[in-house]
Amino acid sequence: MGTHGSKERTSLAEVLRHGDAAFPQQLQKILTKPEFRVTEDMSQVQRRQNAYDQLEDLVNEIGARDVATDLPKLFAVFDQTAVLTPDLIPLISGHYNLASGSLATLTDLDSAKPYLKDLDDGTSVGVMLLTEYGCGSNIGFMETTATWDGEGFVINTPHPLAQKFMPSLGIPVARVCVIGARLIDAQGVDQGVHLFAARLRDSNGDPAPGVTITQLGRQQLVIMDNAIISFDNLRVERSAWLSNNLATIDRNGVLTWADEDSRKRAFPSAISQLTVGRLALSSCLNATARASLYIALSYATKRRVPLTPDAKPLMIDIPHVKDTLLTELAGTVARTIYGNAVKTFLADAQLTYRGTVVAVMAAKYFIQDHALATVTDCRLKMAAQGMFSDNRVADYIGICHAAITGEGDTKVLGSVGGRVLAKELGGTPPPEPTLHDPADPTDRKRLLHARTLTIAHEAQALLSDPALEARLDVIPDALALIDAYCAEQTLQLLDDLAERHPEIAAVRDVFALDQIDQHGSWYLTHGLLDIAAVKSLKQHGRRGVLPRAIDNLVVQMPALLEAFDFDDEILGAPVLSDDLPGAWDSRLRHQHHH
């Protein structure tokens, strides 16, 4: 592992990678500079400062604006950062995606130029301020105001629940911020949520007049300098309004929308970079899942487990290890391919269109929870070795938790996307119930398709009921529909690749069978499987359809892990070494020496 040989394996690596290999390789060199290595004796304060120093170095090497608007490069930055320098991920999200991305796409070049220059050369750090105590991640209900005062806007926090909670602003360095606030025109009319650029900390790191920043306390899962921010007559210029050419405001403070559709598009426009960010964070969580599997499975193929005086099988041969990690390997590879397809779609899509937003909502729900489960299982299967940051997997758990809840639980977005999807699919009747054979690949496709349409059909009664109770009751169906729809789409993508890649064919079989096994009772109660078929999935003694598929995937596992394109030396995890005691001894001597 860590090297590449045959043409077929290189081709498989290209299937799993989004974009060319040169930029990720450049990032690996930048992100692994020894002067930014996190050491055991660093406090949280020192690690925060180290992350800011490393961000400045990264920006000096690759810039910001061009990366923010080049999606394959942006996704690569997220992926490589999450795997190699987890402390940096919160800053990457704010600087590259939310601040640089918004300023580069939502206003004219002249207005954005002063801010983008400072973001592009590392003079200032970018962040976006949306969430508040009161509205949480439901930012359409934020209450911060930006009121026209004759020359520009004055931003205020009307009451304590409207304070911004909890953007990363604690470290006193220069800041370019994009602030979400309700635009109040000269007539006192609330024109909805808009974005405004502002410098909330000057070159010395001091808060701007009218800004109060209170850093929050210690966090256990991820290193961030989260803060509470409130505004008391913070003045911003008229040009700081990121209108995206949807509206104008004259000298008298009269706001005029560009056309009758512009007002509807204003809020989706303001949060358009969140759509990019959701997919970027999903991508980097999938990257941590791949890295965790690479490390855990590499360890499992070396580690012998003494069960009796004479029997010391490899860890990978123990059924509960193999079945768990190989099933998650299939799920992670499948979601990598699905995520890459959504990335390709996003590159040419209108970020404000409902179909684009729903596609990314679905991807976030489908990918991120699975990534957390995979990373967690890898940590558990590695036992004591999995607890140490030196072996990386434990640190990935914090990244997963931060990304999943950074803008609200994945289930919030999944339920919204599921409702929209249910309405779109409601006119297509599900197939009549008939028994299927899980051993038949064609029947597997039919089963996943039937589940998607049946769930959508069953949700219609609740969707047509305007009562709050019905809106809440439909959430489980909406979430199940998103999962079923994404799984069906993923299976089709895997099928398209399976003929050229036996590794993907093995992934496809385990992925499809695992989906059917997870929902065996659903298929049983809907007349799509009988008891014998459900039992056939996991018969004892590796006779079941799924265990046999897992055993086949084990054969393909080395090629898949190699195609993940990780380098053992760069990862540096002691468990990757053939000499585990020697690797730990070397690591500890190096730490004490420095």
Side-chain angles (χ1 to χ4, degrees), residues 224 378 411 580:
M224 293 177 68
C378 287
K411 291 179 174 57
L580 184 60

Side-chain angles (χ1 to χ4, degrees), residues 41-220:
D41 58 350
M42 278 186 174
S43 67
Q44 278 210 352
V45 171
Q46 290 171 320
R47 286 177 66 176
R48 287 171 184 151
Q49 186 59 58
N50 184 65
Y52 277 95
D53 293 342
Q54 192 167 20
L55 175 67
E56 183 179 5
D57 180 73
L58 177 64
V59 171
N60 287 334
E61 292 273 9
I62 66 171
R65 179 188 176 187
D66 289 346
V67 172
T69 54
D70 183 331
L71 293 190
K73 285 188 174 181
L74 180 67
F75 295 138
V77 169
F78 271 79
D79 288 5
Q80 295 295 326
T81 300
V83 171
L84 298 174
T85 55
D87 285 0
L88 202 52
I89 272 290
L91 304 185
I92 292 294
S93 181
H95 189 88
Y96 277 94
N97 170 221
L98 300 177
S100 297
S102 295
L103 283 162
T105 59
L106 299 180
T107 190
D108 63 276
L109 181 60
D110 287 342
S111 297
K113 187 175 181 179
Y115 303 110
L116 284 172
K117 178 183 178 300
D118 288 355
L119 294 172
D120 219 21
D121 64 15
T123 305
S124 294
V125 175
V127 69
M128 179 178 276
L129 284 68
L130 294 177
T131 55
E132 299 174 359
Y133 273 122
C135 68
S137 298
N138 200 353
I139 54 179
F141 292 92
M142 71 172 64
E143 296 183 83
T144 300
T145 58
T147 305
W148 178 258
D149 76 339
E151 296 183 0
F153 298 92
V154 179
I155 299 179
N156 279 289
T157 301
H159 55 77
L161 282 176
Q163 293 177 95
K164 296 295 183 183
F165 178 92
M166 51 179 204
S168 295
L169 276 171
I171 292 288
V173 298
R175 303 282 185 162
V176 167
C177 299
V178 176
I179 306 168
R182 310 197 74 82
L183 192 158
I184 311 299
D185 67 16
Q187 282 73 43
V189 177
D190 183 340
Q191 299 286 0
V193 172
H194 293 250
L195 298 181
F196 302 84
R199 300 180 187 275
L200 295 195
R201 286 190 184 274
D202 62 20
S203 59
N204 296 319
D206 295 326
V211 179
T212 300
I213 301 171
T214 306
Q215 183 167 327
L216 291 164
R218 182 182 180 89
Q219 291 177 306
Q220 299 303 317

Side-chain angles (χ1 to χ4, degrees), residues 419-439:
R419 285 177 59 89
V420 174
L421 186 60
K423 292 176 181 177
E424 292 177 354
L425 296 177
T428 305
E432 290 296 322
T434 185
L435 293 178
H436 294 71
D437 178 7

Side-chain angles (χ1 to χ4, degrees), residues 292-344:
S292 297
L293 287 163
Y294 180 89
I295 294 167
L297 286 168
S298 299
Y299 178 52
T301 60
K302 301 182 181 79
R303 170 82 159 92
R304 288 200 173 273
V305 182
L307 297 182
T308 71
D310 300 319
K312 295 182 179 180
L314 289 168
M315 194 169 113
I316 191 63
D317 293 328
I318 298 175
H320 74 87
V321 174
K322 175 167 63 176
D323 291 352
T324 298
L325 295 187
L326 268 294
T327 299
E328 287 175 339
L329 175 65
T332 299
V333 171
R335 285 167 175 81
T336 297
I337 290 169
Y338 175 77
N340 288 345
V342 181
K343 292 175 188 177
T344 300

Side-chain angles (χ1 to χ4, degrees), residues 376-399:
T376 302
D377 278 333
C378 287
R379 200 225 65 75
L380 294 173
K381 293 297 182 284
M382 290 169 66
Q385 293 290 339
M387 296 176 66
F388 294 95
S389 291
D390 286 323
N391 283 325
R392 293 196 173 270
V393 177
D395 287 355
Y396 297 155
I397 292 175
I399 292 295

